[in-house]
Amino acid sequence: MHVDLNIARFDPESGEKKPYREEFNIEVDETSTVLDGLIKIREEVDGTLGLRCSCRSAICGSCAMRVNGKAVLACNTKISDLVSDENKSINVEPVGNMKLIKDLIVEFDTHWQKIKAIEPWVKTDAPPPEAEYIASNESMMELIGVMGCIQCGACVSDCTVLAVDESFLGPAALAKAYRFLADPRDDANNQRLKDLNEPAGMWDCTRCMQCVEVCPKGVDPMGRIMKLRDFAMEAGYKNTTGARHAEVFSDIIKNNGVLNEFWLPVKTFGMFNIPEMLKLAPIGLKAMMRGKMPPIFYEKIPGSKNITKLFEKTKVV
Amino acid sequence: MKYAFYPGCVSKGAAPELYRATIEVCKKLDIELDTETMEGASCTGSGVLQEKNEKLGDTLNARTFAMGENSGLPIMTICSTCQGVMSQARSRMADLEYRESVNSSLSDENLEYKGQAEPRHLLWIIIEDIGIEKFKEKIVKPLTGLKIAPFYGCYIVRPSDVLGFGENPERKHSLEMIIEAVGAEVADFPGKSACCGFPILTINEKNSMKMVSNHTLSAKKEGAVAMVTPCPLCHLNLDGYQPTASKQVGQPIDLPILHLPQLIGLALGIDPKVLKLNQHIINTESVVSALALTP
Ligand code: FES
């Protein structure tokens, strides 16, 4: 089978000024992966092609890269799934949101710093037991999905918040934090939540689901971040804009059935938060001039009482 | 073709122009809208409610789906976020045991979600029910020469498995298909399926505004004269907050952002005023006058 691998190249050490594209036209098997194709190029065409790989079985996490714009493991991405009779070309780039070293190799330092920052080990208060720590089966079953993370960096690569703010802890580290918060043996929940509640932590996720989409291991980082928010609100960390937003949003739906875009920001910030109100005012004014101010009085849906009842029935347990 | 119309909170609140444009466009496309069936339907929870209590969110959506099923009509949405949240709820409720436990809360109202209702966005309905060729036949004022950037909104593209991209692969390119069908040219840019930043607007305005300026400026770099979105929440951020984003990045942007039905409406020959193109924060005059020049 024929394929044209269009690869992003760049070797700053050898004095190259900027990244460029190089196309390699090769023959591969029907079963070949993108990684097989790249290794073939490195072995038979151009030995200088820089890439990382090890297990070739989606276990070690070294071969993450962007293929046709999306972060994947090159070793579990089949070429035949990406080409057709009309289109034989595949784009290969290094992962995003990390500093480039050479060709498809990036620097993982910032990623590891963030993983370290969440203190990824079980912290206990009690004196160590005589034998092993016992954790229930159910609690470990809940953790199995998130423990499946192989630190490949695919979620970090495609995170839309990291793309605009490198200080964000990011999906991988936050999912890792969840792994310890949900561990019954860990006693440091309060401190952990306090730290994660800070700016650049759990509330900065924009819920875009990129991490969920690209994770090759089904870790569901965003789902874990939402659970962190749950934990934080339950533990009484309610004084962030994010927590208030969730609270106010929920109250508005509970009482009216539908959202009211006028009161949502006003109540989230608090009416007496003068600086934020002053910021909102011109935007509201502009909207009003275009004849589209959201109604100041709550509009309820017919039968909104039924919604209130559902809220009361379906309380979180 | 008749649908139970689920307009969503935003088209009834902060983006009334979307509601108007939808009604006008559907008339021209022979899409009959039942606006009563869903009058008592609640908000989908938009992912925010699900943050706090997923099952409650699913219950509200099951209630909406049951109302749709009772009417015997398929449900039509006009918001990427509504679509995504509903598709996610639907996928969780494919589990019979879970669905039954959700339904048990609905018994007071005599409602039951039977697992049949499948809400779909107008964007998909045009392609799947009308058909792109049939749709093209209805175009009376092709938007020839206009370069339009697509902006999907996260929830209508991810997670792709719950959105039925496997069975309906054209959903992945649906917005580009519509742009081309109305005679315009696609201004392709890398951010088209990224986040608009709306969900973090109140939490981290700086990051949110950076998303707005990144997307609008990179679309402009590809020659876009306007951007089109099937998501009114994206519209709120990309249009409503574009002046704030422009101030933050320190450069003018001025890229008109159209709701999907507005773009279609122009090509169907509907008066821009009827489509409420004058209700945007970013002036849309440039699009209207560019259109006036096309033959
Ligand atoms: S080479 Fe180990 S995950 Fe791909």
Side-chain angles (χ1 to χ4, degrees):
Chain A
M1 186 176 55
H2 181 82
V3 62
D4 306 321
L5 288 178
N6 192 307
I7 304 175
R9 305 288 313 258
F10 187 34
D11 182 9
E13 266 186 18
S14 69
E16 284 170 8
K17 290 278 174 301
K18 52 178 197 227
Y20 59 97
R21 292 283 180 156
E22 191 170 7
E23 189 171 278
F24 295 89
N25 318 103
I26 53 170
E27 291 300 319
V28 293
D29 293 337
E30 200 61 42
T31 55
S32 292
T33 64
V34 172
L35 183 61
D36 293 332
L38 294 171
I39 291 175
K40 183 169 177 153
I41 293 169
R42 193 175 62 182
E43 281 172 0
E44 297 172 14
V45 191
D46 182 350
T48 69
L49 177 65
L51 67 117
R52 278 199 192 105
C53 65
S54 175
C55 71
R56 304 192 192 185
S57 321
I59 296 168
C60 73
S62 347
C63 69
M65 53 188 75
R66 271 190 181 152
V67 174
N68 288 346
K70 183 180 162 191
V72 296
L73 293 177
C75 71
N76 75 349
T77 305
K78 272 173 75 182
I79 290 177
S80 59
D81 289 342
L82 300 173
V83 295
S84 59
D85 286 341
E86 307 86 57
N87 186 9
K88 295 276 173 215
S89 166
I90 298 177
N91 258 312
V92 185
E93 299 157 288
V95 288
N97 293 332
M98 283 188 251
K99 207 177 133 228
L100 186 64
I101 298 176
K102 183 193 172 194
D103 296 338
L104 302 171
I105 304 174
V106 299
E107 177 96 57
F108 263 67
D109 286 16
T110 49
H111 169 70
W112 291 121
Q113 277 159 17
K114 287 172 183 171
I115 297 283
K116 266 196 205 149
I118 64 99
E119 311 198 318
W121 56 85
V122 174
K123 296 183 180 183
T124 54
D125 291 340
E130 286 192 358
E132 65 274 51
Y133 285 95
I134 308 286
S136 73
N137 256 349
E138 304 83 72
S139 58
M140 292 326 268
M141 287 310 280
E142 162 66 14
L143 288 183
I144 252 176
V146 63
M147 290 196 299
C149 173
I150 55 173
Q151 303 294 342
C152 65
C155 60
V156 171
S157 160
D158 287 12
C159 171
T160 56
V161 175
L162 282 171
V164 296
D165 181 359
E166 55 182 19
S167 75
F168 178 44
L169 262 180
L174 286 166
K176 187 56 89 190
Y178 170 80
R179 183 248 167 276
F180 290 96
L181 270 150
D183 191 314
R185 297 163 297 181
D186 191 89
D187 295 322
N189 279 16
N190 238 318
Q191 185 59 45
R192 291 186 191 278
L193 287 172
K194 189 166 170 265
D195 295 344
L196 298 168
N197 202 39
E198 294 291 312
M202 62 169 97
W203 293 103
D204 273 29
C205 164
T206 180
R207 292 190 282 118
C208 72
M209 288 179 294
Q210 280 283 15
C211 55
V212 183
E213 182 78 12
V214 300
C215 175
K217 289 288 168 183
V219 168
D220 183 18
M222 187 190 108
R224 315 294 171 170
I225 300 173
M226 295 308 115
K227 290 236 171 85
L228 289 178
R229 293 180 178 183
D230 257 358
F231 288 165
M233 287 188 276
E234 273 164 36
Y237 290 102
K238 293 193 168 161
N239 208 18
T240 51
T241 317
R244 276 197 308 274
H245 179 264
E247 205 82 35
V248 172
F249 188 101
S250 165
D251 275 349
I252 295 179
I253 309 288
K254 180 177 174 186
N255 295 322
N256 308 285
V258 282
L259 192 60
N260 177 300
E261 294 96 345
F262 176 79
W263 285 107
L264 181 59
V266 172
K267 287 200 163 173
T268 299
F269 288 122
M271 258 218 271
F272 301 105
N273 183 340
I274 306 299
E276 287 299 339
M277 288 306 107
L278 285 177
K279 260 165 60 191
L280 280 176
I283 291 161
L285 208 64
K286 253 187 228 155
M288 200 149 73
M289 276 155 53
R290 306 289 194 282
K292 51 180 216 164
M293 186 67 170
I296 292 187
F297 296 107
Y298 289 108
E299 273 180 41
K300 289 179 195 274
I301 55 166
S304 63
K305 282 207 181 67
N306 295 319
I307 302 295
T308 315
K309 268 196 224 154
L310 286 178
F311 267 74
E312 277 151 13
K313 258 195 213 172
T314 327
K315 279 250 166 65
V316 210
V317 264
Chain B
M1 269 179 294
K2 192 170 175 182
Y3 297 84
F5 181 34
Y6 181 87
C9 308
V10 186
S11 84
K12 300 278 272 182
E17 71 279 7
L18 168 60
Y19 189 90
R20 265 330 313 157
T22 305
I23 299 286
E24 298 300 330
V25 160
C26 286
K27 268 190 229 157
K28 292 249 176 192
L29 292 176
D30 297 321
I31 294 179
E32 201 183 325
L33 296 180
D34 168 356
T35 53
E36 276 158 30
T37 292
M38 292 294 169
E39 262 180 0
S42 71
C43 169
T44 62
S46 118
V48 179
L49 190 62
Q50 282 75 358
E51 240 172 69
K52 277 184 65 127
N53 186 341
E54 190 170 83
K55 190 164 181 191
L56 173 59
D58 289 345
T59 311
L60 297 189
N61 287 305
R63 184 176 172 273
T64 305
F65 299 165
M67 289 174 162
E69 283 174 353
N70 287 349
S71 74
L73 299 172
I75 303 172
M76 179 177 115
T77 68
I78 47 169
C79 167
S80 298
T81 307
C82 293
Q83 179 63 51
V85 174
M86 285 175 153
S87 295
Q88 290 167 37
R90 216 178 149 258
S91 122
R92 282 188 290 270
M93 286 188 285
D95 180 304
L96 203 64
E97 209 179 303
Y98 180 61
R99 186 162 81 227
E100 273 169 11
S101 98
V102 167
N103 272 331
S104 69
S105 311
L106 298 178
S107 54
D108 283 2
E109 286 186 88
N110 261 328
L111 288 170
E112 185 200 348
Y113 166 47
K114 300 191 185 69
Q116 285 147 8
E118 189 197 352
R120 281 176 307 147
H121 196 291
L122 171 67
L123 173 65
W124 297 347
I125 285 175
I126 291 177
I127 292 167
E128 289 158 23
D129 294 6
I130 298 180
I132 204 79
E133 290 310 317
K134 261 260 178 74
F135 171 70
K136 273 190 205 159
E137 286 168 17
K138 306 204 180 241
I139 304 299
V140 295
K141 179 116 182 83
L143 311 185
T144 322
L146 294 195
K147 238 180 151 183
I148 309 283
F151 196 89
Y152 280 89
C154 300
Y155 282 61
I156 205 163
V157 283
R158 285 179 297 275
S160 52
D161 51 347
V162 313
L163 291 164
F165 280 22
E167 310 85 78
N168 302 285
E170 66 291 339
R171 286 183 183 176
K172 207 173 162 197
H173 317 286
S174 46
L175 205 45
E176 286 92 330
M177 285 171 76
I178 298 284
I179 294 175
E180 277 167 4
V182 298
E185 201 185 322
V186 177
D188 205 3
F189 73 108
K192 68 182 174 195
S193 47
C195 179
C196 70
F198 184 74
I200 47 168
L201 178 60
T202 55
I203 297 167
N204 190 330
E205 187 183 292
K206 194 166 151 234
N207 286 354
S208 178
M209 289 305 103
K210 205 154 172 213
M211 289 179 187
V212 171
S213 56
N214 279 358
H215 300 322
T216 46
L217 288 171
S218 71
K220 273 186 89 166
K221 216 169 116 206
E222 296 305 325
V225 296
M227 187 179 267
V228 63
T229 179
C231 183
L233 291 170
C234 294
H235 191 274
L236 279 181
N237 222 32
L238 296 167
D239 176 60
Y241 279 81
Q242 202 184 105
T244 316
S246 151
K247 220 188 260 165
Q248 180 175 297
V249 42
Q251 95 185 70
I253 304 177
D254 288 324
L255 182 69
I257 315 288
L258 307 185
H259 294 286
L260 173 72
Q262 290 178 321
L263 179 82
I264 296 171
L266 288 174
L268 294 174
I270 304 173
D271 187 326
K273 279 207 197 74
V274 174
L275 295 167
K276 303 282 179 198
L277 277 167
N278 51 347
Q279 275 197 339
H280 293 205
I281 300 299
I282 301 302
N283 200 316
T284 56
E285 205 38 57
S286 56
V287 182
V288 178
S289 48
L291 195 61
L293 297 176
T294 66

